Amino acid sequence: MHEYSLAHALLQALTDHLREHPVRGRIRAVHVRKGELLILSEEALAEAWRILAEGTAAAGSELQIERVPVKVRCGSCGYAGPVRYSTDEGWHFAVPVLSCPRCGGRAEVVEGRELAIVGLSVDEDSSEAG
Amino acid sequence: MHDIRVGTEDVFKRQLELAARNYELLQNRKVRAFNVMGAIGSGKTLLILRLAERLKDKGLRVGAIAGDVAGDDDYQRFAAAGLVAANLNTGDDCHLDAHRVGHALEDFPLGEVDVLFIENVGNLVCPADFPLGTEGELVVISVTEGDDMVRKHPKIFAQTDVLAVNKVDLAGFVGVDPMVLVDDYRRLNPHGKVVLTDARSGRGVDELLGALGL
Ligand SMILES: Nc1nc2c(ncn2[C@@H]2O[C@H](COP(=O)(O)OP(=O)(O)OP(=O)(O)O)[C@@H](O)[C@H]2O)c(=O)[nH]1
Ligand SMILES: [Mg+2]
Ligand SMILES: [Zn+2]
Ligand SMILES: [Zn+2]
Ligand SMILES: [Zn+2]
C-alpha cells in the first residue's frame, strides 16, 4: 500500500548515487533486491517506479525485482540459514515461519527485509541517439 | 548494453535507525511502549482503554498516541478516559512509521507516563514493515472480520508476537469459530501468544496484559 513512497525512496537513493557516480547512456533496467518479508506488491512497485521515474535520469527504465528469501540466526543452537515455510492449502502462498528450523527456538531475522538497488543495465549507444 | 553493480543505501535503513532512536528514548525515559496494530474497527481503541483501566488499578500511568489517517475520534476517546493522549494523523499514509512517531514522542510528556500505547492505522497490510521502536507489538483482529483473516494476511501475523482475537462475544452471531484463527496463528508463529478478548465486558484483558508482559 506504500509502494509509491518506497519507489520514491529508491529513486532518491539512485539519484544520490548518480550524482557521485554518473553513468553514460540510458538506464534500461534498475535491479532491486527485495526481502520476501516485506509486504509489497511487486507489480505496484514497478508501476510506481515507471511513473515516478519520468523526467529523471531513470526515465523509461524498468524495475527488475529479485526476491530475497528469509535467513535467520538462532540464538539457542547457532543455526544460520533459511527457514521452514508454512504452506497450508488455505494460504495463498508459502509463508516463512520465523523460528529456528533445527531446534524450534526463536530466531533473529538477518535477511528478508531489505530493499535496495544493486545494479543498473545501461545502454551506452542510446545516449547519442536520444 | 552492460550491467553496472551499484549499492545504494537500503531504503529501510533510515527507518530502522529512527526506530532504534525511539527505542533508546523510551528506554531512557523508562516508558514501556507498545505498537498496537490491527484491522479497521477490530477494537484496538477499546482494548487499549480496557488495558489502561487495569494498569491504572496497578498504580501505573498510561498514555496513548492515536494514529489515524484523519480525524481525532480515537484521541478524544483516550483523552476523555483520562489518558495522557496525543493525536497523530498520517495524512494519506496507511501506516505509522518511526519518523512520524519520533516527532510525536518529541512533543509527548513522556515523564507523565509509565506505559504508552501507540495505536497504529487500522490496516493488516503494511504496519508490519515499519517497526516504531516499541518494546512490544500487538495485533488485534475480531471475529466479525471472518475466520480467514490470519490466512489472508499471513505476514503480519508471522512477525507479531501477541495476537488478540477480539469481539468473541459476537462469535456465535457471525458464525465464526475463534479457534480457527487461533490455530492458523499458532502455525504461522509458534512463539506467539494469542488471547481471546471481549473488550466490551473486559473478558481476557488480564490475560492480554500478561501476554504483553505488563
Ligand atoms: N461486541 C463487541 N464490540 C466491540 C468489542 N470491541 C470493540 N467493540 C466495538 O467495535 C467498534 C470499534 O471499536 P474500536 O475500538 O473503535 O476499534 P478500532 O480498531 O480502534 O477502530 P479504528 O481505529 O477505526 O480502526 C466500537 O463500536 C466498539 O465499541 C468487543 O469485544 N465486542
Ligand atoms: Mg481506533
Ligand atoms: Zn536453533
Ligand atoms: Zn502503508
Ligand atoms: Zn523529521
Side-chain angles (χ1 to χ4, degrees), chain B:
Chain B
M1 183 118 103
H2 70 281
D3 288 349
I4 311 173
R5 280 158 69 90
V6 303
T8 64
E9 187 169 90
D10 192 290
V11 302
F12 282 99
K13 189 171 165 236
R14 184 162 158 70
Q15 286 293 335
L16 292 176
E17 286 166 358
L18 291 167
R21 200 188 291 174
N22 292 346
Y23 183 82
E24 204 173 305
L25 171 69
L26 291 160
Q27 294 282 311
N28 287 341
R29 304 297 300 272
K30 299 199 169 24
V31 175
R32 302 191 59 190
F34 295 86
N35 176 8
V36 182
M37 299 173 282
I40 295 181
S42 59
K44 299 180 292 299
T45 303
L46 192 56
L47 266 179
I48 292 169
L49 291 171
R50 290 288 182 248
L51 290 165
E53 287 167 7
R54 301 289 205 285
L55 291 165
K56 276 186 192 166
D57 292 344
K58 296 186 179 196
L60 294 168
R61 300 163 306 160
V62 184
I65 295 177
D68 266 307
V69 171
D72 66 353
D73 295 77
D74 286 354
Y75 162 76
Q76 295 294 351
R77 288 163 73 192
F78 291 135
L83 274 63
V84 183
N87 197 34
L88 180 54
N89 284 143
T90 62
D92 43 24
D93 246 339
C94 40
H95 57 270
L96 293 181
D97 66 30
H99 180 224
R100 250 188 243 281
V101 167
H103 283 301
L105 293 177
E106 281 166 13
D107 300 332
F108 198 90
L110 291 173
E112 294 173 22
V113 299
D114 303 302
V115 178
L116 176 65
F117 293 105
I118 302 174
E119 182 179 336
N120 217 309
V121 180
N123 173 357
L124 284 174
V125 184
C126 48
D129 286 346
F130 294 87
L132 304 180
T134 55
E135 78 162 58
E137 294 180 331
L138 162 67
V139 61
V140 181
I141 54 174
S142 69
V143 296
T144 55
E145 289 118 40
D147 69 5
D148 52 4
M149 262 308 114
V150 175
R151 287 196 294 277
K152 282 183 177 162
H153 301 278
K155 285 188 187 169
I156 193 168
F157 297 100
Q159 298 181 70
T160 310
D161 283 348
V162 183
L163 167 66
V165 176
N166 192 37
K167 306 194 190 180
V168 287
D169 54 309
L170 302 180
F173 295 104
V174 292
V176 165
D177 176 2
M179 290 318 287
V180 173
L181 295 160
V182 171
D183 289 343
D184 283 346
Y185 178 66
R186 290 221 165 103
R187 245 174 305 156
L188 279 180
N189 191 337
H191 306 287
K193 295 179 182 150
V194 51
V195 183
L196 301 183
T197 57
D198 165 2
R200 286 199 62 193
S201 74
R203 177 183 152 199
V205 171
D206 285 323
E207 210 187 318
L208 184 57
L209 275 183
L212 293 169
L214 281 165

Side-chain angles (χ1 to χ4, degrees), chain A residues 50-68:
Chain A
R50 221 172 44 72
I51 292 166
L52 293 174
E54 255 173 57
T56 75
S61 67
E62 193 189 316
L63 206 60
Q64 292 197 343
I65 301 168
E66 176 201 351
R67 201 176 305 169
V68 183

